[in-house]
Amino acid sequence: MSQNLVLNPSFEEYKTCPSLIGGFNHNVLDWNTPNIGTTDYFNSCSKEIGNINFFGNQKARTGKGYGGMYAMAPENYKEYVQGELSNTLTAEKKYTFTFYISLAENCSHAIRDLGVLFLKEPLKENSDKYINLNKVLNTKQNSHFVLINSQDYYSEKVGWEQVTFEYIAKGFESYFIIGNFDKNSKISKIKVHNSKDPDASYYYIDDVSVEPFETEKQASIESNLISENQELENDKVYTLQNVLFDFDKHNLIASSKAELTQLYNYLNANKRLQIEIYGHTDDVGTQKRNDELSLLRAKEVALYLISKGLRPERITATGYGNKFPVANNDTEAGRALNRRVEFKLIFK
């Protein structure tokens, strides 16, 4: 598994359960705010600042905690999150930067202008309403800005939307700031909700990661795919290595289909084999939802095989929820291993 270099990446570690808005800066470990902005911290441990909050209703993407910040507000007021890396990035090495956002349901506008400012030293809290990007880049020798060019507005309100880009490091990056760095007049925005309040764009944020981009990864995936000439044992449970799903979703992502196509080719070449498919989840969420989600994921795999031409009577799909973990659910790495789809071949 790739190594996430971001400390406290999903905001689960905190000093105290939040009871007031604006508590991100002094409550979330390994994170802070670099300007006068009062970024918010939400956690389901809190009745006051939990999933139901002043801007809507949202659950954390993973775990219990997540942040919230104004990307646009009156008088060019902005909020940011400043994070720290466990290791300085290596010069000329490629990394994948990813985070997830969700537009608060009660704010008026969605935007498509976000960016990440990389720094050697953290930007100290100051009284500015927003970060003057040109000033920082001119005065901080070891700084670099990445504008995230989105084709669409970040308007997802119910689920979480992935924001990701690949980055070749300069070799000084130890800290980073996520947010909007433009004045309101330059922001590309669209109205999504009528509100008596002033125009504003407010986003929840969760699951920030900076991971080495490994060129060997795709080759490793290809070598693990099933081939028609490979001998798979009957009545043995196999885990699909590259069949992945977004959090709380059952739709297959594009990168999952190569392995399933190879599995179909194997079954098509061995027509006396039947297949049992088993879906599993981690322990995040209710038992009822996990049971439902695991079955939906197993059925999604079955439907893909059927779409390729496999007869439905050769397939059964079962969901086991979080009943059979293969790793500890206390860590994100363990939960990722538990979110899996398995199969067993039966000769008849």
Side-chain angles (χ1 to χ4, degrees):
M1 296 186 64
S2 297
Q3 179 189 8
N4 186 1
L5 301 178
V6 178
L7 298 178
N8 194 13
S10 59
F11 314 114
E12 296 303 302
E13 299 176 26
Y14 56 90
K15 295 178 182 177
T16 59
C17 184
S19 59
L20 298 172
I21 62 173
F24 184 94
N25 192 36
H26 302 291
N27 204 8
V28 185
L29 298 179
D30 302 310
W31 292 83
N32 58 39
T33 56
N35 71 329
I36 197 175
T38 54
T39 303
D40 301 302
Y41 179 54
F42 304 101
N43 195 298
S44 60
C45 68
S46 172
K47 293 182 179 180
E48 297 85 0
I49 314 296
N51 294 337
I52 300 175
N53 52 68
F54 62 95
F55 247 135
N57 185 347
Q58 182 60 271
K59 293 182 179 180
R61 183 177 179 271
T62 59
K64 297 180 179 181
Y66 58 99
M69 59 186 182
Y70 280 102
M72 183 187 77
E75 299 182 0
N76 293 315
Y77 172 78
K78 303 285 191 301
E79 293 175 346
Y80 306 89
V81 293
Q82 181 168 240
E84 183 178 356
L85 301 174
S86 59
N87 295 302
T88 302
L89 301 188
T90 303
E92 302 301 322
K93 187 172 182 178
K94 184 185 287 189
Y95 296 84
T96 301
F97 197 114
T98 304
F99 58 94
Y100 292 82
I101 58 173
S102 181
L103 180 66
E105 59 192 279
N106 293 332
C107 66
S108 62
H109 284 72
I111 70 169
R112 62 182 182 191
D113 304 308
L114 290 171
V116 175
L117 176 60
F118 291 98
L119 299 161
K120 179 179 181 179
E121 301 290 340
L123 200 62
K124 295 182 179 180
E125 184 178 358
N126 57 64
S127 59
D128 294 336
K129 290 183 179 179
Y130 77 100
I131 295 176
N132 187 324
L133 185 60
N134 290 330
K135 180 180 178 181
V136 173
L137 294 176
N138 288 333
T139 58
K140 298 282 188 181
Q141 182 177 1
N142 291 316
S143 61
H144 185 75
F145 178 70
V146 175
L147 176 64
I148 304 168
N149 294 310
S150 174
Q151 298 298 316
D152 299 312
Y153 293 93
Y154 297 114
S155 57
E156 174 60 46
K157 292 184 175 182
V158 178
W160 292 85
E161 191 168 0
Q162 184 188 69
V163 183
T164 187
F165 62 92
E166 294 175 6
Y167 175 70
I168 298 177
K170 310 299 180 183
F172 62 80
E173 299 89 341
S174 297
Y175 297 84
F176 60 89
I177 299 171
I178 301 173
N180 178 274
F181 296 81
D182 287 328
K183 291 184 177 181
N184 289 354
S185 60
K186 295 183 178 180
I187 294 176
S188 180
K189 53 189 177 291
I190 184 173
K191 192 167 187 177
V192 294
H193 179 74
N194 291 322
S195 175
K196 295 180 181 179
D197 298 322
D199 291 348
S201 184
Y202 187 93
Y203 287 92
Y204 305 116
I205 182 169
D206 203 359
D207 292 334
V208 185
S209 66
V210 177
E211 300 180 348
F213 182 91
E214 300 177 6
T215 55
E216 301 86 0
K217 185 175 181 181
Q218 185 62 37
S220 175
I221 290 174
E222 294 296 334
S223 67
N224 287 333
L225 293 180
I226 301 164
S227 67
E228 294 177 25
N229 297 324
Q230 182 180 351
E231 288 295 330
L232 297 178
E233 298 180 32
N234 294 337
D235 294 320
K236 178 179 178 179
V237 176
Y238 291 89
T239 300
L240 290 164
Q241 298 297 319
N242 308 303
V243 174
L244 306 172
F245 302 88
D246 288 328
F247 176 76
D248 202 37
K249 304 291 185 182
H250 64 273
N251 305 96
L252 288 169
I253 63 176
S255 60
S256 302
K257 295 179 179 179
E259 186 174 16
L260 291 181
T261 298
Q262 295 292 74
L263 178 57
Y264 164 74
N265 291 338
Y266 185 88
L267 288 165
N268 191 47
N270 297 271
K271 297 186 181 297
R272 297 189 64 181
L273 288 177
Q274 295 190 349
I275 182 171
E276 294 181 354
I277 302 169
Y278 315 120
H280 301 271
T281 68
D282 57 28
D283 67 351
V284 177
T286 65
Q287 185 67 58
K288 180 180 179 181
R289 174 55 180 162
N290 285 334
D291 290 344
E292 176 189 56
L293 186 61
S294 63
L295 179 58
L296 288 172
R297 288 174 173 176
K299 286 185 175 180
E300 192 75 11
V301 171
L303 287 172
Y304 183 81
L305 295 175
I306 292 170
S307 73
K308 299 294 290 184
L310 197 67
R311 297 198 313 273
E313 57 267 26
R314 296 178 63 186
I315 309 172
T316 59
T318 306
Y320 288 112
N322 59 5
K323 297 183 181 67
F324 301 108
V326 294
N328 194 323
N329 275 303
D330 292 338
T331 67
E332 175 54 36
R335 290 191 293 271
L337 291 174
N338 290 330
R339 296 191 295 265
R340 68 196 191 280
V341 175
E342 300 171 330
F343 70 91
K344 182 168 68 174
L345 300 178
I346 301 172
F347 184 79
K348 290 189 176 181

